[in-house]
Amino acid sequence: MMESIRLEMAGTVEQAIRLVERHLPEEKCILLWKYDVATKLLEQGIHLEQETVILEVSQPDLTKKLLSLYPHAAYLLPLKLTVTRHPAKELVEVKLVRASMLASLEGDDAARQLVEEMEDKLVRVMKRCEEQWQASA
């Protein structure tokens, strides 16, 4: 079981999202949805200080394989990256939430392995983002 991976960078949430989007195709991943948590909560009258966006990401071939073999594993997908601006630290954090940890709790090793394969692709995307960010700093 691997721990979650985090990437911290200076800049804006939008810059971090664009960087992630730029590198997703390299691993044949696609962005399915961007969920702006602060905006959605504000619609309900709740003010959230920190800017937070959830990116829901899929790798279509692995997703199809996982769901064809293990339809019950649908709750693990799509994989999620959180992008949060921490005003106190003046940093943006991109974090991969590890769905494989939840799959491990279910005791389904085969499904967990497929989810880990998808997670590994997102880890590589995040590492490329970090390398590009550091090179431009």
Side-chain angles (χ1 to χ4, degrees), residues 99-127:
S100 59
M101 296 170 103
L102 188 56
S104 293
L105 295 175
E106 292 291 321
D108 193 333
D109 285 339
R112 179 190 48 76
Q113 288 175 351
L114 283 170
V115 172
E116 281 181 354
E117 192 174 335
M118 284 188 260
E119 289 172 343
D120 289 344
K121 290 179 176 294
L122 285 182
V123 168
R124 288 192 294 272
V125 165
M126 290 177 70
K127 287 183 179 182

Side-chain angles (χ1 to χ4, degrees), residues 12-13 16 18 22 26 32 61 72-73 85 110 132 134-135:
T12 67
V13 166
R18 280 195 307 269
R22 189 174 311 134
E26 297 166 17
L32 298 174
D61 294 334
H72 65 280
R85 173 99 174 128
Q132 183 176 347
Q134 288 175 348

Side-chain angles (χ1 to χ4, degrees), residues 63 66-67 70-80 111 115:
T63 297
L66 176 68
L67 295 178
Y70 310 99
H72 65 280
Y75 66 92
L76 299 170
L77 302 173
L79 297 182
K80 292 167 182 61
V115 172

Side-chain angles (χ1 to χ4, degrees), residues 49-114:
E49 287 291 323
Q50 69 188 34
E51 194 176 353
T52 301
V53 176
I54 300 169
L55 304 178
E56 294 199 347
V57 179
S58 176
Q59 200 294 329
D61 294 334
L62 288 173
T63 297
K64 181 179 178 183
K65 183 176 181 180
L66 176 68
L67 295 178
S68 296
L69 297 171
Y70 310 99
H72 65 280
Y75 66 92
L76 299 170
L77 302 173
L79 297 182
K80 292 167 182 61
L81 293 170
T82 59
V83 184
T84 304
R85 173 99 174 128
H86 295 284
K89 296 198 287 186
E90 297 186 14
L91 291 172
V92 174
E93 177 186 78
V94 180
K95 184 173 184 178
L96 170 61
V97 179
R98 294 266 190 187
S100 59
M101 296 170 103
L102 188 56
S104 293
L105 295 175
E106 292 291 321
D108 193 333
D109 285 339
R112 179 190 48 76
Q113 288 175 351
L114 283 170

